[in-house]
Each structure stands twice: as C-alpha cells, then as structure tokens.
Amino acid sequence: MGGEEKEEIMCGIVAYYGKRNVSEVLLDCLQRLEYRGYDSAGIAICESGNIDIIKTTGKIKHLREKIDINKYSMTHLGIGHTRWATHGVVSDKNAHPHKVDNISLVHNGIIENYMDLKEKIEKRYALQSETDSEIIAHLIAEKYNGDLLNSAINTVKNLKGSYALAIISDKEPETLVLVKKENPLIIGIGEDEIFVASDLTALTAYTDNFIILEDENIAKIYKTDIKLYNFNGDPISTNSKRVKLNFQMANKGGYKHYMLKEIFEQPKALLDTFLNHISNNHEKIIFNEFENIEDRIMSSKSIQIIGCGTSYHAAMIGKYLIEKYSGLSVSVDIASEFRYRNMTPTDNQIIIFISQSGETADTLASVKLVKKNKITTIALTNMISSSITRMTDSTIYTYAGPEIGVASTKAFTTQIIILYLFAIYLGQCTKRLNDRNIKEHIEKIIRLPDLLDGVIKMNDIISEIAMKCINYEHFLFLGRNINYPVALEGALKLKEVSYIHAEGYAAGELKHGPIALISKKVPVFVIATQSQTYDKIIGNIEEIKARNGTVYAIASSGDKRVINLVDGFVFIPSVDEDLSIFPNTVIFQLFAYHCANYLGLDVDQPRNLAKSVTVE
Ligand code: AGP
C-alpha cells in the first residue's frame, strides 16, 4: 500500500453471539489474542438498536477500564479487535472497530488498492481515520440494501489484498458476517453461542468445535445459524471439526511471565513432540506424516529449509543435522529473502517450511511460490490447522502447546528436536545409519527432558549472571558449528525482550571483524561446551581476554580450562555436541528472560513486536 497512511496489520479479531455478557467474552478473547498486537484495541456491541463502539490506544487492560461491563449483560452480539500497526500513528481514531453509517467492522490485513479506493471515497465522504479498514466500511455501507451478506459479497469484488473481516450492522442486530482472504479466521461453535477469533487458542476455553474458514469464504451467522458462501455468493458446505487443545497450558500457571513458564515447560514439550516419532521398542524413527510422500522423500536429492526469525535459526540447525546424518545437501533461507529470489527448482527437491504460528506472511508467500514449481513441501508448525498446514503436502507438528510469550522458546526447541529426528530418519532411510547408531540416537533423545530439567535447576546461577549484565548496552554471542545458530538465537532473545543490543557470530569469524568491538563495555557470551572445535573456542576466549574483554561462558561440567579464563560461567553436563544445542539454548533463553525481568520490561509483549507476523 503506497502513500502516507497506515495499514491494519498483525491484528487479532474476535466476535461473539450468545447469552453471556458480550463485552466480557470479547475482552477475554482479545486478551488471549493480545500477543498478535497490542497498540490499541476496541469493541463494537449491538445495543438497543445501536452499535456502541469503545476503543482506545494501549492494551486490553486499558480498554477494559473504559467499558461499563454491566451495560452489556443482556446484549447478544459484538465484535472486537487488537491492533499492531506498522505505519502511521497509533491513535484512538485509527483503532478498530470502524463505523460508517449502520456498518461496523474489524479488519486484519492490508488492502493493496487502498489508495485508489480512498481517492474515490474521499470525494464523497470525510474520512474519520487513516486506515484502509475504514474504506472497507464505506464500501459496505454504500452497497448496503438491507442485506449485510450481499453488501459484503459485493464489496469483496473491489478489494485487493489480504483481509479477515467481522462485520455487524445495527439494522440487522443478530447477524454477523465474516470474510476471510489470506488472514486466518476461526468460528467456534458452543451451545447456543458462536465465537469467532483469529486463532484457536483464543477460543479453547469455550469450545473444542470449530469451523476453520478457508480462503475466499464468507460466513453469515444469524443468531447461531452458520451459512458459508464463496466470494461469488454461492453456498458452500460447512464442516466443523473437533480440536482438543489443553487450555490449562494457556495460563501463566503461577509464573510471573509466560516466557518463564514456557522455558520451564521445555522438558515436557520435547517429550510430547519426540514420543510421536520413536517406535515402541525404541529402535526406529517414525514419521507417519510422510505416508503419502514417502517415495518422494526417499528419492530426494536435496533439501531446503525456510523460516523467519527463530524458525530460521531452527532451519540453520537443521542444515547441520541433516547434512551430517543423511548426506543430503541442505540449503537454508530466510523466507522474506527467498520469496524475492529467483529460485531454480531442482528435481526431487523437498522444502521444509518452519513456522511456529503457521501464519507468517513471508513464509506462506514462499510456500505459494514453490507450489508453482511442484516441489514437495513439508510444514513444521505448532499450530493445528494453521494456514501453512493447508498449503503444504505434509505437516509435522511440534507439541509445544500454546506459546503466548512473543519471544519464541519452547517452539524453537521442539522444532529442533523434530529436525534432529528427521535427520536420523533420513539416515535410517538411506542406510547411512545402522540399527545400532539409530538406537544410540534414540537413547540420547529420550534422556533430553532430564538433561533440560537439570539446566532449569541452574536458573538461579543464570539469573545472577543476568543481574550483572543489565547495564551493558551491547552484547556478543559466540558459538561454532551447530552452536553457531544457537548463538544467533541467544542474541535474538536478548534483543527482543531486554532491548540490549546483541549480535551472534560464528566464533571463527571473530578475527574477521567483530574483535574490533571487544572492550570492557561489550561482554561476550561464549558457548564453550565440548565440541570438535573446543580448542579453537578456547583460543577465542583468550583473544578476548587479552583485549580486556569480559567473557561469560557455557562450559561442560567441571571444565577448569574455561572457568580459569572467564568472568562467569554456567555448566552443562557433558553431552554430544549435537545435543548440547538444547541446554545451551535454554541457558540463553533464561539469561534473556532475567535481564528483561530485572530491567522491569514487558517480557511477554516486548515493544514493537507481535507474535505472528501475518503481513509482509
Ligand atoms: C521469535 O522470538 C520471534 N518473535 C520471531 O523471530 C519469530 O520466530 C518469527 O516471526 C517467525 O514466526 P513463526 O515461527 O510463527 O513463523
């Protein structure tokens, strides 16, 4: 969208029809979606023939303060929105819902032909906001002839871009119209009540029965009757499905922050994830997900792994593991780069797309791109029925449970255990690994939850190191080989939650530039656990100390060589280099968490970030 204006971006949408207090349900669901955006929020409720709109900048708790909850105990229908803007100001007027005449709507997405539409609309009306969403409301209001569904169908013909919409009208106080194109929208069916949200986790407290809208679906919900249509207005069938999610897991469960809870949940998350892939006798790796694509996997010549942010770091780890155990060559790409590169498809290529949320716009765009080239696509995601699962040939799920903290923790470690298992699986298929090798790997994997429990017990030691570090403005993280992406992830975690500038480097690169940064003011966190490059890492630490640098290290238990050199350390038990990525990651996560917590920051919802980046 060109021009000076803003767009409605990684937002969360909710709606409710039923006998509960509408405002309470909307606020509760918005709270659960707040990770998708938290610049501003609002609700619209059909009340005595009018639509009440209450909206504000700030978080859901600010919105809650503005709402007279008791007023809505007898009302039935409402919509709500939590917003995260990329351009333009965060203001009350730009917050959703938007109201034009009798129409009120909430929107998640971007209208690409916004400027053209705006030019025409503003000749006829004075616009109240700077949003593309208001333009949609104008179009629907203009076309309204007493039938909200029809005016929505007629409006989508004029829209280019991505949008999930929830629309109500004070002329039809028991009708809700939903429109879905490229952004997720889910209907939850309760007993005599209907819930709507941008994702399942917002609704699992209320129901386990869902309709997951497909692209170019329009839903008309009259009271609790649901009818689906395509964008031409033709009726289509409605198939609901039951999805069981553990609602307990979406609570803080006594922890101060979701992030800490989610770090502590990793032993269980790993167990839940790897158990699905290990045979009962612990002798084979299984991927039932590949039933329909097994031949293609067996004949694959190369593998590519694509993701963004933390998921990209998981992809990098996957490269080390898959190349080592399968002998196949693996390339990795950041989705936002891949989608604009001229990729040349090769025969028998498999591409794994990693996305915790399954909704990241760049990753989905990359899937679309390769689908044209008939490549075998596999999604690795934590979100059941997310968009990516419907676009790829096969889906592997991580069973991390809902991850609410914006900084990804347990999703990452479950992604890398899957990549580890996949690497061994390929080694098993190609016979590069014999039965004994496979069994040994499985035994090591099974011990991982205990290993991580041990690391979590060192929380206090990690917290003490963090306490010493909160006044630094810059940090370097060094790792080598498979621990290089772990260093990148450690730096990303610190940046995201503590706002301390941090960079991760492959330790071998130190001399090629970053060493110029070394000073008392720029401490370095080094992964110095046992590895094939251990001596070289010791060399790096010596180089930093020779320049008066401060070094913290993760070292293998009892390693005197490291502890005699460094300013602070955390031990992990002696494990294979490949497995050390798990404890090392958890230590960096805890370090970032404690830094942010000591700094008094909003750990779960860091400034400027949203959990799920659903637009480019
Ligand atoms: C992780 O801590 C970040 N918040 C972010 O980098 C994230 O990993 C990235 O946006 C990708 O998200 P996805 O896995 O849901 O696709």
Side-chain angles (χ1 to χ4, degrees), residues 308-311 354-358 360 363 406-408 415 489 492-493 496 610-611 613:
C308 297
T310 290
S311 293
I354 307 181
S355 175
Q356 180 281 132
S357 63
T360 298
T363 312
V406 165
S408 192
Q415 286 164 355
E489 177 60 9
L492 178 63
K493 286 290 90 87
E496 279 188 297
K611 180 89 185 150
V613 184

PDB file of all heavy atoms in Angstrom, residues 308-311 354-358 360 363 406-408 415 489 492-493 496 610-611 613, ligand 1:
ATOM      1  N   CYS A 308      11.474 -17.740   9.300  1.00  0.00           N
ATOM      2  CA  CYS A 308      11.823 -16.363   9.703  1.00  0.00           C
ATOM      3  C   CYS A 308      12.253 -16.367  11.166  1.00  0.00           C
ATOM      4  O   CYS A 308      11.740 -17.161  11.955  1.00  0.00           O
ATOM      5  CB  CYS A 308      10.613 -15.435   9.609  1.00  0.00           C
ATOM      6  SG  CYS A 308       9.976 -15.253   7.958  1.00  0.00           S
ATOM      7  N   GLY A 309      13.096 -15.435  11.526  1.00  0.00           N
ATOM      8  CA  GLY A 309      13.445 -15.218  12.934  1.00  0.00           C
ATOM      9  C   GLY A 309      13.951 -16.486  13.594  1.00  0.00           C
ATOM     10  O   GLY A 309      14.859 -17.176  13.097  1.00  0.00           O
ATOM     11  N   THR A 310      13.346 -16.815  14.707  1.00  0.00           N
ATOM     12  CA  THR A 310      13.745 -18.005  15.448  1.00  0.00           C
ATOM     13  C   THR A 310      13.573 -19.261  14.605  1.00  0.00           C
ATOM     14  O   THR A 310      14.401 -20.183  14.656  1.00  0.00           O
ATOM     15  CB  THR A 310      12.906 -18.075  16.741  1.00  0.00           C
ATOM     16  OG1 THR A 310      13.353 -17.025  17.596  1.00  0.00           O
ATOM     17  CG2 THR A 310      13.054 -19.391  17.451  1.00  0.00           C
ATOM     18  N   SER A 311      12.520 -19.310  13.816  1.00  0.00           N
ATOM     19  CA  SER A 311      12.299 -20.502  12.975  1.00  0.00           C
ATOM     20  C   SER A 311      13.414 -20.642  11.936  1.00  0.00           C
ATOM     21  O   SER A 311      13.772 -21.753  11.536  1.00  0.00           O
ATOM     22  CB  SER A 311      10.936 -20.414  12.285  1.00  0.00           C
ATOM     23  OG  SER A 311       9.925 -20.490  13.246  1.00  0.00           O
ATOM     24  N   ILE A 354       9.356 -23.815   8.173  1.00  0.00           N
ATOM     25  CA  ILE A 354       9.178 -23.826   9.630  1.00  0.00           C
ATOM     26  C   ILE A 354       8.463 -22.557  10.056  1.00  0.00           C
ATOM     27  O   ILE A 354       8.900 -21.453   9.725  1.00  0.00           O
ATOM     28  CB  ILE A 354      10.536 -23.906  10.359  1.00  0.00           C
ATOM     29  CG1 ILE A 354      11.353 -25.095   9.826  1.00  0.00           C
ATOM     30  CG2 ILE A 354      10.330 -24.026  11.867  1.00  0.00           C
ATOM     31  CD1 ILE A 354      12.707 -25.261  10.500  1.00  0.00           C
ATOM     32  N   SER A 355       7.368 -22.728  10.784  1.00  0.00           N
ATOM     33  CA  SER A 355       6.666 -21.562  11.310  1.00  0.00           C
ATOM     34  C   SER A 355       5.872 -21.981  12.533  1.00  0.00           C
ATOM     35  O   SER A 355       4.930 -22.770  12.424  1.00  0.00           O
ATOM     36  CB  SER A 355       5.723 -20.982  10.254  1.00  0.00           C
ATOM     37  OG  SER A 355       4.971 -19.938  10.811  1.00  0.00           O
ATOM     38  N   GLN A 356       6.280 -21.488  13.680  1.00  0.00           N
ATOM     39  CA  GLN A 356       5.565 -21.796  14.917  1.00  0.00           C
ATOM     40  C   GLN A 356       4.081 -21.534  14.746  1.00  0.00           C
ATOM     41  O   GLN A 356       3.245 -22.375  15.044  1.00  0.00           O
ATOM     42  CB  GLN A 356       6.150 -20.936  16.045  1.00  0.00           C
ATOM     43  CG  GLN A 356       5.545 -21.113  17.422  1.00  0.00           C
ATOM     44  CD  GLN A 356       4.223 -20.401  17.649  1.00  0.00           C
ATOM     45  OE1 GLN A 356       3.275 -21.006  18.165  1.00  0.00           O
ATOM     46  NE2 GLN A 356       4.115 -19.152  17.247  1.00  0.00           N
ATOM     47  N   SER A 357       3.761 -20.337  14.263  1.00  0.00           N
ATOM     48  CA  SER A 357       2.361 -19.912  14.160  1.00  0.00           C
ATOM     49  C   SER A 357       1.657 -20.490  12.940  1.00  0.00           C
ATOM     50  O   SER A 357       0.442 -20.588  12.915  1.00  0.00           O
ATOM     51  CB  SER A 357       2.310 -18.390  14.054  1.00  0.00           C
ATOM     52  OG  SER A 357       2.972 -17.968  12.872  1.00  0.00           O
ATOM     53  N   GLY A 358       2.442 -20.825  11.937  1.00  0.00           N
ATOM     54  CA  GLY A 358       1.844 -21.288  10.680  1.00  0.00           C
ATOM     55  C   GLY A 358       1.140 -20.178   9.925  1.00  0.00           C
ATOM     56  O   GLY A 358       0.392 -20.435   8.976  1.00  0.00           O
ATOM     57  N   THR A 360       2.902 -16.895   9.335  1.00  0.00           N
ATOM     58  CA  THR A 360       3.833 -15.833   8.964  1.00  0.00           C
ATOM     59  C   THR A 360       3.748 -15.546   7.464  1.00  0.00           C
ATOM     60  O   THR A 360       3.932 -16.446   6.631  1.00  0.00           O
ATOM     61  CB  THR A 360       5.260 -16.247   9.370  1.00  0.00           C
ATOM     62  OG1 THR A 360       5.266 -16.387  10.780  1.00  0.00           O
ATOM     63  CG2 THR A 360       6.297 -15.223   8.949  1.00  0.00           C
ATOM     64  N   THR A 363       6.600 -16.541   5.091  1.00  0.00           N
ATOM     65  CA  THR A 363       6.753 -17.996   4.950  1.00  0.00           C
ATOM     66  C   THR A 363       5.633 -18.551   4.067  1.00  0.00           C
ATOM     67  O   THR A 363       5.871 -19.378   3.180  1.00  0.00           O
ATOM     68  CB  THR A 363       6.762 -18.658   6.347  1.00  0.00           C
ATOM     69  OG1 THR A 363       7.675 -17.932   7.171  1.00  0.00           O
ATOM     70  CG2 THR A 363       7.175 -20.107   6.282  1.00  0.00           C
ATOM     71  N   VAL A 406       5.818 -13.547  23.357  1.00  0.00           N
ATOM     72  CA  VAL A 406       6.160 -13.187  21.973  1.00  0.00           C
ATOM     73  C   VAL A 406       7.514 -13.791  21.583  1.00  0.00           C
ATOM     74  O   VAL A 406       7.721 -14.212  20.452  1.00  0.00           O
ATOM     75  CB  VAL A 406       6.122 -11.647  21.793  1.00  0.00           C
ATOM     76  CG1 VAL A 406       6.810 -11.223  20.513  1.00  0.00           C
ATOM     77  CG2 VAL A 406       4.673 -11.178  21.778  1.00  0.00           C
ATOM     78  N   ALA A 407       8.426 -13.837  22.542  1.00  0.00           N
ATOM     79  CA  ALA A 407       9.733 -14.441  22.240  1.00  0.00           C
ATOM     80  C   ALA A 407       9.578 -15.963  22.231  1.00  0.00           C
ATOM     81  O   ALA A 407       9.154 -16.564  23.210  1.00  0.00           O
ATOM     82  CB  ALA A 407      10.757 -14.024  23.288  1.00  0.00           C
ATOM     83  N   SER A 408       9.928 -16.541  21.119  1.00  0.00           N
ATOM     84  CA  SER A 408       9.738 -17.982  20.960  1.00  0.00           C
ATOM     85  C   SER A 408      10.775 -18.753  21.770  1.00  0.00           C
ATOM     86  O   SER A 408      11.967 -18.462  21.709  1.00  0.00           O
ATOM     87  CB  SER A 408       9.879 -18.312  19.471  1.00  0.00           C
ATOM     88  OG  SER A 408       9.438 -19.606  19.237  1.00  0.00           O
ATOM     89  N   GLN A 415      11.043 -27.468  17.557  1.00  0.00           N
ATOM     90  CA  GLN A 415      11.383 -27.501  16.114  1.00  0.00           C
ATOM     91  C   GLN A 415      12.702 -28.238  15.904  1.00  0.00           C
ATOM     92  O   GLN A 415      12.838 -29.057  14.993  1.00  0.00           O
ATOM     93  CB  GLN A 415      11.532 -26.069  15.568  1.00  0.00           C
ATOM     94  CG  GLN A 415      10.218 -25.328  15.397  1.00  0.00           C
ATOM     95  CD  GLN A 415      10.400 -23.818  15.238  1.00  0.00           C
ATOM     96  OE1 GLN A 415      11.513 -23.281  15.339  1.00  0.00           O
ATOM     97  NE2 GLN A 415       9.310 -23.118  14.980  1.00  0.00           N
ATOM     98  N   GLU A 489      20.479 -17.242  18.040  1.00  0.00           N
ATOM     99  CA  GLU A 489      19.199 -17.266  18.755  1.00  0.00           C
ATOM    100  C   GLU A 489      19.336 -16.604  20.138  1.00  0.00           C
ATOM    101  O   GLU A 489      18.445 -15.881  20.580  1.00  0.00           O
ATOM    102  CB  GLU A 489      18.725 -18.729  18.866  1.00  0.00           C
ATOM    103  CG  GLU A 489      17.442 -18.950  19.634  1.00  0.00           C
ATOM    104  CD  GLU A 489      16.211 -18.237  19.062  1.00  0.00           C
ATOM    105  OE1 GLU A 489      16.276 -17.688  17.951  1.00  0.00           O
ATOM    106  OE2 GLU A 489      15.189 -18.199  19.771  1.00  0.00           O
ATOM    107  N   LEU A 492      19.219 -12.950  19.524  1.00  0.00           N
ATOM    108  CA  LEU A 492      17.854 -12.521  19.173  1.00  0.00           C
ATOM    109  C   LEU A 492      16.982 -12.452  20.426  1.00  0.00           C
ATOM    110  O   LEU A 492      16.234 -11.482  20.633  1.00  0.00           O
ATOM    111  CB  LEU A 492      17.240 -13.476  18.140  1.00  0.00           C
ATOM    112  CG  LEU A 492      15.797 -13.176  17.723  1.00  0.00           C
ATOM    113  CD1 LEU A 492      15.681 -11.821  17.037  1.00  0.00           C
ATOM    114  CD2 LEU A 492      15.246 -14.251  16.792  1.00  0.00           C
ATOM    115  N   LYS A 493      17.101 -13.469  21.282  1.00  0.00           N
ATOM    116  CA  LYS A 493      16.275 -13.465  22.501  1.00  0.00           C
ATOM    117  C   LYS A 493      16.598 -12.243  23.356  1.00  0.00           C
ATOM    118  O   LYS A 493      15.693 -11.576  23.866  1.00  0.00           O
ATOM    119  CB  LYS A 493      16.518 -14.735  23.344  1.00  0.00           C
ATOM    120  CG  LYS A 493      15.933 -16.000  22.852  1.00  0.00           C
ATOM    121  CD  LYS A 493      14.422 -16.113  22.935  1.00  0.00           C
ATOM    122  CE  LYS A 493      13.751 -15.598  21.693  1.00  0.00           C
ATOM    123  NZ  LYS A 493      13.549 -16.438  20.583  1.00  0.00           N
ATOM    124  N   GLU A 496      15.209  -9.056  21.745  1.00  0.00           N
ATOM    125  CA  GLU A 496      13.740  -8.988  21.747  1.00  0.00           C
ATOM    126  C   GLU A 496      13.174  -8.577  23.092  1.00  0.00           C
ATOM    127  O   GLU A 496      12.287  -7.740  23.150  1.00  0.00           O
ATOM    128  CB  GLU A 496      13.153 -10.377  21.423  1.00  0.00           C
ATOM    129  CG  GLU A 496      13.124 -10.739  19.985  1.00  0.00           C
ATOM    130  CD  GLU A 496      12.342 -12.027  19.762  1.00  0.00           C
ATOM    131  OE1 GLU A 496      12.782 -13.085  20.278  1.00  0.00           O
ATOM    132  OE2 GLU A 496      11.310 -11.982  19.099  1.00  0.00           O
ATOM    133  N   ALA A 610       5.166  -8.345  17.479  1.00  0.00           N
ATOM    134  CA  ALA A 610       3.938  -9.134  17.556  1.00  0.00           C
ATOM    135  C   ALA A 610       4.329 -10.585  17.347  1.00  0.00           C
ATOM    136  O   ALA A 610       5.326 -10.881  16.689  1.00  0.00           O
ATOM    137  CB  ALA A 610       2.955  -8.693  16.495  1.00  0.00           C
ATOM    138  N   LYS A 611       3.561 -11.460  17.912  1.00  0.00           N
ATOM    139  CA  LYS A 611       3.932 -12.878  17.868  1.00  0.00           C
ATOM    140  C   LYS A 611       3.881 -13.425  16.451  1.00  0.00           C
ATOM    141  O   LYS A 611       4.721 -14.204  16.037  1.00  0.00           O
ATOM    142  CB  LYS A 611       2.958 -13.652  18.755  1.00  0.00           C
ATOM    143  CG  LYS A 611       3.204 -15.142  18.817  1.00  0.00           C
ATOM    144  CD  LYS A 611       4.147 -15.455  19.911  1.00  0.00           C
ATOM    145  CE  LYS A 611       4.534 -16.917  19.951  1.00  0.00           C
ATOM    146  NZ  LYS A 611       5.888 -17.081  20.488  1.00  0.00           N
ATOM    147  N   VAL A 613       3.588 -12.595  12.546  1.00  0.00           N
ATOM    148  CA  VAL A 613       3.755 -11.501  11.590  1.00  0.00           C
ATOM    149  C   VAL A 613       2.979 -11.861  10.321  1.00  0.00           C
ATOM    150  O   VAL A 613       3.522 -12.436   9.382  1.00  0.00           O
ATOM    151  CB  VAL A 613       5.249 -11.242  11.307  1.00  0.00           C
ATOM    152  CG1 VAL A 613       5.430 -10.049  10.384  1.00  0.00           C
ATOM    153  CG2 VAL A 613       5.983 -10.997  12.609  1.00  0.00           C
TER     154      VAL A 613
HETATM  155  C1  AGP B   1      10.910 -15.239  17.919  1.00  0.00           C
HETATM  156  O1  AGP B   1      11.271 -14.999  19.240  1.00  0.00           O
HETATM  157  C2  AGP B   1      10.364 -14.093  17.221  1.00  0.00           C
HETATM  158  N1  AGP B   1       9.309 -13.476  17.898  1.00  0.00           N
HETATM  159  C3  AGP B   1      10.230 -14.172  15.727  1.00  0.00           C
HETATM  160  O2  AGP B   1      11.513 -14.084  15.215  1.00  0.00           O
HETATM  161  C4  AGP B   1       9.533 -15.409  15.115  1.00  0.00           C
HETATM  162  O3  AGP B   1      10.317 -16.541  15.309  1.00  0.00           O
HETATM  163  C5  AGP B   1       9.297 -15.162  13.629  1.00  0.00           C
HETATM  164  O4  AGP B   1       8.446 -14.067  13.483  1.00  0.00           O
HETATM  165  C6  AGP B   1       8.726 -16.365  12.923  1.00  0.00           C
HETATM  166  O5  AGP B   1       7.487 -16.732  13.426  1.00  0.00           O
HETATM  167  P1  AGP B   1       6.828 -18.110  13.042  1.00  0.00           P
HETATM  168  O6  AGP B   1       7.685 -19.198  13.562  1.00  0.00           O
HETATM  169  O7  AGP B   1       5.475 -18.085  13.692  1.00  0.00           O
HETATM  170  O8  AGP B   1       6.718 -18.165  11.548  1.00  0.00           O
END
